[in-house]
């Protein structure tokens, strides 16, 4: 059976600029916040926008090592759990059952979820060497051997009750995000229709509307990944880890500490996506203030600084850095 495609009403909600930007910015902030190369002005700008990461909840420390005792992994599990709940509500409103979840990660040769082939990565904003390295990374992560030597091993580790008993929920979330979730995104990503320019922190809501269409569902970009049918299968699998963990540890009600879902909606109030905006408001934390109340403009100096800092901040960059092939 082909991966399930949601009704257009649901896909329209997911394709709204509001939801796209929220998902992208949420991942972006967590990627850059603790990086010593991220300029302090950038952090200040995010604070002013209401998008500061709650204190001490960087997924990685300044050296890029995963942090297991600061609940950052809870943020990851919690935020995506809210996305699933929102989508399940939209599906119910359209008369459809909740998202379908992968009970286990599809093996090589799975006829329902074949791994799309690697392609020659050709981001016009990257150097030829960089594109070649990303192409090698795609070949590496999509190979059967990657599943057999790495992904399956990690799946077994993360679902083993003995391990789940030893891990806090935050540690589990962080391990899941960076050892298997990012890799699943890239393994099941298909060649995109084009290469979207990265987030412009100076004007987050800007960007060519061609990237907002229903057909922009590239799994390797947090701006579009949730439009891709695979997103819900793989995040369903991740979300089930939470239940498995709770079960194994006899936890009946999870007392979430890491519950950061991002800041206010930064899309212009004139956005036509009125309904999704209402839904998204439920995700915004202390989000009463809108950008209009806080006319923040970073100026060209910060924009140039952010560009030149060249930190890994996108899903492709982070996963390539972590997974190799070296
Ligand atoms: Cu995400």
């Amino acid at each position: 059976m082909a991966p399930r495609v949601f009704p257009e009403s649901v896909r329209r909600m997911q394709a709204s600029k509001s939801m796209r930007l929220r998902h992208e910015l949420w991942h972006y902030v967590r990627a850059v916040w603790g990086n010593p190369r991220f300029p302090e002005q950038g952090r200040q700008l995010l604070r002013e926008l209401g998008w500061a990461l709650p204190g001490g909840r960087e997924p990685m420390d300044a050296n890029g090592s995963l942090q297991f005792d600061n609940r950052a992994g809870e943020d990851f599990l919690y935020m995506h759990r809210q996305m699933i709940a929102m989508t399940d509500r939209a599906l119910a409103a359209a008369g459809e059952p909740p998202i379908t979840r992968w009970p286990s990660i599809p093996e090589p040769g799975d006829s329902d979820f074949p791994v799309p082939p690697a392609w020659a990565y050709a981001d016009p904003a990257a150097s030829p060497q960089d594109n070649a390295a990303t192409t090698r990374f795609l070949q590496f992560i999509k190979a059967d051997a990657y599943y057999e030597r790495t992904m399956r091993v990690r799946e077994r580790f993360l679902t083993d009750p003995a391990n789940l008993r030893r891990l806090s929920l935050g540690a589990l979330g962080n391990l899941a995000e960076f050892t298997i979730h990012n890799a699943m995104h890239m393994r099941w990503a298909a060649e995109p229709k084009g290469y979207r320019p990265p987030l412009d922190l100076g004007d987050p809501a800007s960007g060519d509307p061609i990237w907002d269409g229903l057909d922009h569902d590239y799994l390797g970009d947090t701006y579009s990944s949730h439009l891709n049918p695979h997103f819900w299968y793989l995040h369903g699998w991740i979300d089930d880890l939470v239940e498995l963990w709770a079960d194994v540890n006899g936890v009946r009600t999870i007392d979430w500490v890491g519950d950061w879902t991002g800041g206010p909606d930064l899309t212009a109030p004139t956005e036509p996506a009125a309904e999704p905006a209402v839904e998204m408001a439920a995700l915004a934390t202390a989000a009463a203030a809108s950008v209009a109340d806080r006319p923040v403009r970073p100026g060209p100096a910060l924009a140039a600084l952010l560009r030149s800092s060249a930190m890994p901040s996108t899903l492709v960059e982070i996963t390539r850095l972590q997974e190799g092939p070296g």
Side-chain angles (χ1 to χ4, degrees):
M1 228 173 22
R4 180 176 166 195
V5 176
F6 296 150
E8 192 172 327
S9 60
V10 180
R11 283 159 59 232
R12 290 234 170 264
M13 174 193 83
Q14 292 168 339
S16 67
K17 180 97 186 172
S18 170
M19 185 150 176
R20 286 181 184 278
L21 182 60
R22 168 166 296 276
H23 190 229
E24 179 184 34
L25 200 52
W26 188 89
H27 280 283
Y28 175 85
V29 171
R30 293 173 84 251
V32 300
W33 195 266
N35 190 324
R37 274 148 64 202
F38 186 58
E40 189 49 38
Q41 298 100 303
R43 249 172 240 110
Q44 188 50 35
L45 175 67
L46 286 167
R47 279 187 204 103
E48 287 165 20
L49 291 170
W51 273 84
L53 188 68
R57 289 232 295 282
E58 298 86 357
M60 295 182 197
D61 66 15
N63 300 318
S65 300
L66 291 178
Q67 305 214 74
F68 295 122
D69 52 5
N70 68 348
R71 312 255 188 178
E74 287 187 24
D75 287 324
F76 169 71
L77 297 169
Y78 183 86
M79 196 286 277
H80 290 90
R81 181 161 268 210
Q82 303 314 307
M83 282 179 83
I84 291 173
M86 200 175 89
T87 297
D88 281 347
R89 283 195 297 275
L91 283 167
E96 293 227 5
I99 66 159
T100 316
R101 301 164 181 239
W102 274 339
S104 59
I105 300 175
E107 294 179 15
D110 188 291
S111 55
D112 291 334
F113 300 101
V115 174
W119 67 94
Y121 200 80
D123 184 348
S127 70
Q129 295 86 333
D130 212 50
N131 279 327
T134 304
T135 302
R136 286 196 299 278
F137 155 70
L138 288 171
Q139 291 162 346
F140 171 78
I141 209 156
K142 287 167 168 291
D144 291 359
Y146 181 82
Y147 173 84
E148 276 142 23
R149 291 181 201 152
T150 304
M151 191 168 261
R152 178 166 58 186
V153 177
R154 292 177 183 177
E155 178 180 25
R156 284 185 188 149
F157 179 90
L158 290 169
T159 52
D160 180 343
N163 293 330
L164 292 170
R165 247 176 247 121
R166 285 196 291 255
L167 293 170
S168 66
L169 186 58
L172 173 65
N174 223 358
L175 277 174
E177 178 175 4
F178 292 98
T179 71
I180 206 161
H181 153 271
N182 291 352
M184 286 201 276
H185 268 259
M186 295 317 303
R187 185 168 165 86
W188 273 276
E191 182 171 6
K193 295 185 173 65
Y195 295 86
R196 194 179 64 90
L199 175 78
D200 175 5
L201 193 53
D203 189 4
S206 66
D208 192 324
I210 60 159
W211 303 109
D212 297 340
L214 291 181
D215 61 339
H216 184 49
D217 66 350
Y218 176 42
L219 200 56
D221 176 358
T222 50
Y223 191 76
S224 52
S225 56
H226 55 287
L227 270 288
N228 188 294
H230 293 89
F231 180 92
W232 302 98
Y233 287 91
L234 79 85
H235 270 285
W237 182 84
I238 298 270
D239 192 62
D240 283 346
L241 289 178
V242 177
E243 293 313 306
L244 201 57
W245 175 89
D247 225 44
V248 159
N249 289 291
V251 174
R252 294 180 57 185
T253 313
I254 295 170
D255 193 12
W256 295 95
V257 174
D259 61 355
W260 188 63
T261 56
D265 188 345
L266 299 184
T267 52
T270 48
E271 265 290 298
E275 241 180 276
V278 172
E279 266 282 358
M280 293 312 295
L283 273 186
T285 42
S290 75
V291 204
D293 303 330
R294 306 166 170 178
V296 185
R297 286 289 170 268
L302 176 60
L305 198 61
L306 288 171
R307 264 197 305 278
S308 67
S309 62
M311 289 163 306
S313 65
T314 65
L315 191 56
V316 174
E317 290 163 344
I318 291 170
T319 317
R320 196 185 101 190
L321 193 74
Q322 286 220 306
E323 298 298 311

